Amino acid sequence: MIDLRDTFWVLPALLVLAGLGAAEVAIRADTADWGPDWLKAHLYSGGETGARTLLGAIASSTIGVTGTLFSITIAALTLASSQMGPRLLDNFTRDRGNQVTLGVFLGAFAYALLVLRQVRGGDDDVFVPQIALAGAMVLALLCVALLVYFVQHISTRINIDTVIELVRRDLFRALDDLTEEAPEPPPRQDVDWSKAVPICDDRHGYLQQIDEAALADWACAKGICVRLLVRHGDFLTPGGVLALVSAPVDGATRVINRATAVGGRRSASGDLEYSVRQLVEVAVRALSPGVNDPMTAMTVLDQLGAALCRVSRRHLPNGVTMRDGTPVLVRPTTDYEGLTAAMFDMIRQSGATAPAVLIRMLDVLALVAEQERRPSRLKALRRHADLVLADGRRNLANRSDLKDLSLRHRRFRQVAEQGGPARRAGFALL
């Protein structure tokens, strides 16, 4: 499935159509001799030769600048994305400022061409559209302003801190959309799966969308329960089992296939770990030997910690959809342990020899533990803290670094066991 919000061509195409429409309206206004005389006195007053020259200059310059500017920009983005990951290119194509800039430049080009074909010379049939030419000059000035804006805008977009902030916003938005403020009631577990029928799928690709409401309504109408075996972001192989149906039902394969969408890449819609992995990718690339930028990895850890603090006040879905008190759809979901594993495992493995990264990871875990009081979640945080300490003891040769790491680990244990006041008192001794 294609999300039009993520496509680069939709808004520019609409602006090109708007430019063509504006040209047609301006030409009709000139043909009808619309407008007061005082206004016409301030519009273009040259002949048809000057009008053709002006419109030709606007058309050629706008299309030339557009091609050159975006070619250089794509080259710069390609070099930058090798260090920060392909997410940078996604941000470029989704950015409304980039789309508006391209659309206005191309719209000005289309506007100038359409007006140019209406300029006529000769002794008997001279037509110089004053209003349309004034509009062309306004568009030209707007393109100059957008050129300055675009250079400044794209220079900030390839900054690593800006990229991290953009992905952080996507992560927080996903957390708000895919978690609940109140806990869901515990699901009933009385579904009889002894006669379950497997539903196979010949498609391959990443599961991008699940129409849960439609699938649950269909299962309720048939008096069955559907159990999906894959979740958002999982890769489907041809012939693999996609779901189980509690009882045989005609047309189940067709209905389940229509309720799920498969694509060639993961999608942020419904996939809680998608934005997490984009942030993690930035940190892992920063810790590679070719880049060696632990400061970026530490910034990513701070943002991941902020995300977990946000999760501490919310509840993850249990994946069970009920109708009339009966479960009709069961699907796998991301739990807290899986979420923290997606956040910290790869960074810890890549930064096992970087003491600053390991120390910051323990600090972040302590900050999260200060706000998180649920025992099951604290157990997952303890697991990661113990893994950090074990990696540090195995890979760090400097005793001072090991001492700092062990001290952070002890402070984390105090926070996990005693809460926020213990953390503040403990860190005051550092």
Side-chain angles (χ1 to χ4, degrees):
M1 296 181 65
I2 298 176
D3 190 349
L4 294 181
R5 294 173 300 178
D6 295 340
T7 55
F8 190 53
W9 60 269
V10 173
L11 184 57
L14 293 176
L15 289 175
V16 170
L17 293 177
L20 293 174
E24 186 66 26
V25 170
I27 291 171
R28 288 182 179 273
D30 278 301
T31 303
D33 197 22
W34 176 87
D37 294 336
W38 66 266
L39 177 61
K40 294 181 180 179
H42 293 82
L43 299 179
Y44 179 81
S45 58
E48 60 90 12
T49 301
R52 290 180 182 275
T53 302
L54 175 63
L55 292 171
I58 293 174
S60 60
S61 60
T62 52
I63 197 65
V65 169
T66 302
T68 302
L69 190 63
F70 277 80
S71 296
I72 296 174
T73 301
I74 291 297
L77 287 170
T78 302
L79 293 175
S81 65
S82 64
Q83 296 184 0
M84 291 178 277
R87 177 71 181 187
L88 181 62
L89 295 178
D90 290 341
N91 287 330
F92 173 81
T93 57
R94 292 168 48 188
D95 186 85
R96 288 290 182 262
N98 299 334
Q99 295 175 8
V100 169
T101 301
L102 177 63
V104 170
F105 270 84
L106 295 181
F109 171 74
Y111 180 98
L113 284 185
L114 192 59
V115 174
L116 181 60
R117 63 186 293 269
Q118 297 295 330
V119 178
R120 298 188 299 272
D123 296 332
D124 300 327
D125 188 21
V126 177
F127 180 65
V128 179
Q130 292 179 295
I131 297 177
L133 284 167
M137 289 186 285
V138 170
L139 282 177
L141 294 176
L142 179 60
C143 288
V144 172
L146 279 176
L147 176 61
V148 177
Y149 158 79
F150 183 78
V151 172
Q152 185 274 337
H153 180 71
I154 201 63
S155 63
T156 59
R157 282 302 196 198
I158 62 176
N159 181 279
I160 184 62
D161 292 328
T162 303
V163 173
I164 293 175
E165 175 62 18
L166 291 173
V167 182
R168 194 274 306 169
R169 293 177 187 174
D170 290 343
L171 175 57
F172 276 32
R173 191 179 303 115
L175 290 174
D176 291 340
D177 293 341
L178 302 177
T179 58
E180 305 291 339
E181 293 185 359
E184 296 180 347
R188 292 168 50 186
Q189 302 294 334
D190 55 357
V191 180
D192 182 13
W193 296 103
S194 60
K195 298 181 180 179
V197 178
I199 303 298
C200 298
D201 196 339
D202 292 331
R203 297 174 296 175
H204 71 278
Y206 293 97
L207 183 61
Q208 295 180 337
Q209 299 280 349
I210 302 175
D211 192 348
E212 300 173 19
L215 195 54
D217 291 340
W218 172 81
C220 181
K222 297 295 183 180
I224 61 172
C225 183
V226 177
R227 181 179 181 179
L228 294 175
L229 302 182
V230 293
R231 64 181 180 181
H232 288 93
D234 285 350
F235 188 81
L236 278 63
T237 55
V241 179
L242 175 62
L244 298 176
V245 178
S246 60
V249 177
D250 293 337
T253 301
R254 184 185 73 258
V255 172
I256 294 176
N257 285 350
R258 290 179 61 183
T260 56
V262 177
R265 55 176 295 177
R266 296 183 69 167
S267 171
S269 177
D271 189 355
L272 187 57
E273 295 183 10
Y274 179 79
S275 296
V276 171
R277 295 189 181 278
Q278 304 307 318
L279 269 176
V280 170
E281 181 182 7
V282 174
V284 171
R285 286 176 179 267
L287 292 172
S288 63
V291 179
N292 192 22
D293 182 15
M295 295 299 296
T296 295
M298 294 164 67
T299 302
V300 170
L301 286 172
D302 292 338
Q303 298 293 356
L304 293 175
L308 285 180
C309 290
R310 197 181 189 91
V311 174
S312 67
R313 301 184 294 272
R314 302 183 67 86
H315 300 267
L316 297 173
N318 57 27
V320 179
T321 302
M322 310 288 288
R323 290 290 188 272
D324 299 327
T326 302
V328 294
L329 176 63
V330 181
R331 58 182 180 85
T333 59
T334 301
D335 56 10
Y336 193 81
E337 185 174 352
L339 185 63
T340 54
M343 288 182 174
F344 297 119
D345 279 350
M346 292 184 65
I347 300 178
R348 174 181 53 80
Q349 294 160 2
S350 299
T353 58
V357 174
L358 297 180
I359 290 173
R360 178 61 66 86
M361 187 175 293
L362 285 177
D363 288 345
V364 168
L365 289 171
L367 289 170
V368 177
E370 181 185 16
Q371 300 188 30
E372 184 61 72
R373 307 316 311 160
R374 277 170 267 195
S376 60
R377 294 186 175 186
L378 288 173
K379 181 180 177 181
L381 297 176
R382 289 191 193 97
R383 171 182 171 273
H384 289 286
D386 293 341
L387 289 173
V388 171
L389 181 61
D391 282 355
R393 288 174 174 173
R394 183 169 53 252
N395 296 288
L396 301 182
N398 190 294
R399 291 186 177 181
S400 178
D401 292 337
L402 282 175
K403 182 179 178 180
D404 288 343
L405 192 67
S406 300
L407 183 60
R408 274 358 188 259
H409 186 267
R410 287 198 300 270
R411 297 293 183 262
F412 166 81
R413 301 291 294 193
Q414 292 178 5
V415 173
E417 294 172 1
Q418 302 176 24
R423 176 203 171 271
R424 286 188 287 271
F427 275 98
L429 300 178
L430 293 179

